[in-house]
């Protein structure tokens, strides 16, 4: 019996095949009405903002690409990158310390998290701003005997450094919990298998656990990077005013137009945040490989090509 006789011909349903269902989408007039109302409200808001002289759009256009604003964007990115790099590294170390069998390291890590998560970041930055008043000089050497080097903190003018330290130490406390959650998400069987292969505890963490924990660590870490970008507005407590918000605030203090300068700063924060979100998407997709059954476009094309070749070979053999 041929395939056409059995009703299995390509594109022709057989007598035993189910009748195709013609699905008709359900009409939802309420959604269309809500969309129209929202669109009208958005248009009214945009028109009102565009025609409102209080926004100072001419001033906004004047300072959007001002060199001082662009310099502030650069310092904001530097604060974000440096603080996050230090925070991630220190947070990973604190997470490993909390999971180590050593009770001393576990206690030190817990106390650190208790202090830096229990106090506001603004208060911590104020403290780092007052650091030169608390410790006027730093001496390096053997205690109570020889001094090899001495630094006058008040002469260093290291507001940027103190801002990075304050942001990084606060961020490390939160990154420690994120990394710890990622490590705990890896099954115990992975650790036991590594120990069976003769790996030490440190080698197991570095070679087996952390690579698998990355798919859990990356998404909240991306959110922390975006949050850090916005937290840099608090470094005026150090005080440090060369970042984006500080620059916009200084300019508005001269021309007495805070609203357009706030819009300028908000625009650049949105631009940088959007770029970071795109980067976060690709990084998450990279580390999610093998964790999802959803095939990519390239994988679907390869599967279709393989299926076509197999059907072609079967047809040639049957003829």
């Amino acid at each position: 019996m041929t395939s056409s006789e059995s009703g299995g011909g390509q594109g022709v349903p057989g007598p035993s095949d189910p009748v195709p269902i013609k699905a008709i989408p359900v009409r939802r007039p309420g959604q269309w009405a809500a969309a129209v109302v929202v669109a009208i409200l958005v248009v009214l808001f945009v028109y009102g903002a565009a025609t409102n002289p209080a926004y100072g759009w001419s001033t906004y256009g004047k300072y959007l690409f001002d060199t001082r604003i662009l310099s502030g964007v650069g310092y904001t990115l530097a604060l974000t990158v440096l603080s996050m790099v230090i925070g991630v590294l220190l947070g990973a170390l604190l997470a490993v310390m909390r999971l180590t069998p050593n009770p001393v390291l576990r206690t030190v890590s817990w106390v650190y998290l208790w202090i830096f998560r229990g106090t506001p970041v603004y208060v911590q930055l104020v403290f780092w701003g007052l650091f030169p008043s608390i410790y006027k000089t730093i001496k390096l050497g053997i205690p109570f005997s020889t001094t090899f080097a001495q630094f006058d903190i008040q002469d260093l003018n290291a507001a940027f450094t103190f801002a990075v330290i304050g942001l990084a130490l606060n961020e490390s406390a939160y990154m420690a919990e994120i990394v710890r959650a990622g490590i705990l998400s890896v099954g115990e069987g992975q650790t036991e298998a590594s120990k069976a292969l003769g790996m030490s505890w440190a080698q197991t963490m570095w070679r087996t656990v952390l690579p698998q924990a990355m798919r859990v660590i990356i998404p909240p870490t991306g959110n922390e990077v975006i949050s850090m970008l916005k937290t840099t507005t608090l470094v005026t407590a150090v005080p440090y005013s060369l970042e984006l918000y500080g620059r916009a605030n200084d300019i508005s203090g001269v021309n007495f137009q805070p609203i357009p300068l706030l819009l300028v700063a908000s625009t650049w924060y949105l631009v940088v945040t959007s770029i970071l979100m795109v980067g976060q998407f690709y990084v998450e997709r990279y580390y999610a490989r093998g964790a999802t059954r959803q095939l990519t476009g390239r994988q679907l094309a390869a599967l279709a090509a393989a299926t076509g070749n197999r059907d072609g070979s079967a047809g040639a053999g049957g003829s």
Side-chain angles (χ1 to χ4, degrees):
M1 181 182 295
T2 63
S3 60
S4 59
E5 293 174 347
S6 62
Q10 185 175 4
V12 180
S16 61
D17 293 338
V19 179
I21 298 175
K22 184 179 180 181
I24 301 176
V26 179
R27 300 183 183 275
R28 295 183 174 87
Q31 292 184 359
W32 287 100
V36 171
V37 172
V38 171
I40 292 174
L41 292 177
V42 170
V43 170
L44 290 176
F45 174 78
V46 172
Y47 176 77
T51 56
N52 192 340
Y55 283 98
W57 294 112
S58 60
T59 305
Y60 170 84
K62 176 182 178 181
Y63 289 101
L64 183 60
F65 297 101
D66 188 89
T67 54
R68 290 168 291 181
I69 295 296
L70 296 179
S71 174
V73 174
Y75 280 112
T76 297
L77 291 175
L79 284 170
T80 303
V81 172
L82 292 176
S83 300
M84 281 305 304
V85 169
I86 298 174
V88 169
L89 295 177
L90 184 56
L93 178 62
L94 290 169
V96 174
M97 288 172 60
R98 285 205 66 185
L99 297 173
T100 185
N102 191 320
V104 177
L105 295 180
R106 289 203 311 268
T107 303
V108 171
S109 176
W110 184 88
V111 172
Y112 181 97
L113 299 184
W114 174 62
I115 293 175
F116 284 94
R117 293 177 65 195
T119 55
V121 61
Y122 187 82
V123 174
Q124 296 174 28
L125 291 173
V126 171
F127 173 84
W128 285 106
L130 297 174
F131 190 84
S133 300
I134 301 173
Y135 299 98
K136 296 180 173 58
T137 59
I138 294 180
K139 298 179 181 180
L140 301 178
I142 302 175
F144 309 108
S145 60
T146 306
T147 300
F148 301 123
Q150 180 174 331
F151 302 96
D152 190 346
I153 301 298
Q154 295 180 335
D155 293 339
L156 290 179
N157 192 20
F160 180 84
T161 302
F162 287 137
V164 171
I165 292 174
L167 293 174
L169 293 182
N170 178 267
E171 182 61 32
S172 63
Y174 294 92
M175 284 303 306
E177 290 300 286
I178 293 174
V179 174
R180 186 171 72 94
I183 292 175
L184 293 177
S185 68
V186 179
E188 295 183 0
Q190 302 291 326
T191 303
E192 295 173 356
S194 299
K195 291 181 179 179
L197 293 175
M199 294 186 184
S200 64
W201 186 85
Q203 290 175 330
T204 300
M205 280 292 170
W206 181 254
R207 297 180 180 180
T208 305
V209 177
L210 284 177
Q212 297 183 66
M214 290 301 292
R215 65 183 53 160
V216 178
I217 296 174
I218 288 297
T221 301
N223 294 332
E224 288 296 314
V225 173
I226 295 174
S227 177
M228 175 62 71
L229 176 73
K230 295 176 288 187
T231 306
T232 56
T233 58
L234 300 178
V235 296
T236 53
V238 172
Y240 182 78
S241 60
L242 295 181
E243 43 78 43
L244 178 55
Y245 175 74
R247 286 292 197 179
N249 195 36
D250 292 342
I251 296 174
S252 64
V254 175
N255 62 13
F256 302 104
Q257 297 187 55
I259 295 178
L261 269 302
L262 286 176
L263 292 175
V264 168
S266 300
T267 300
W268 281 109
Y269 281 121
L270 285 173
V271 169
V272 178
T273 300
S274 301
I275 297 174
L276 292 176
M277 291 175 65
V278 172
Q280 178 185 358
F281 169 77
Y282 285 104
V283 173
E284 287 183 11
R285 191 172 70 173
Y286 174 81
Y287 281 102
R289 293 179 305 174
T292 177
R293 295 183 178 180
Q294 184 177 1
L295 300 179
T296 63
R298 182 178 301 177
Q299 291 172 332
L300 288 173
L303 181 60
T307 304
N309 293 334
R310 184 185 63 185
D311 294 343
S313 301
S319 61

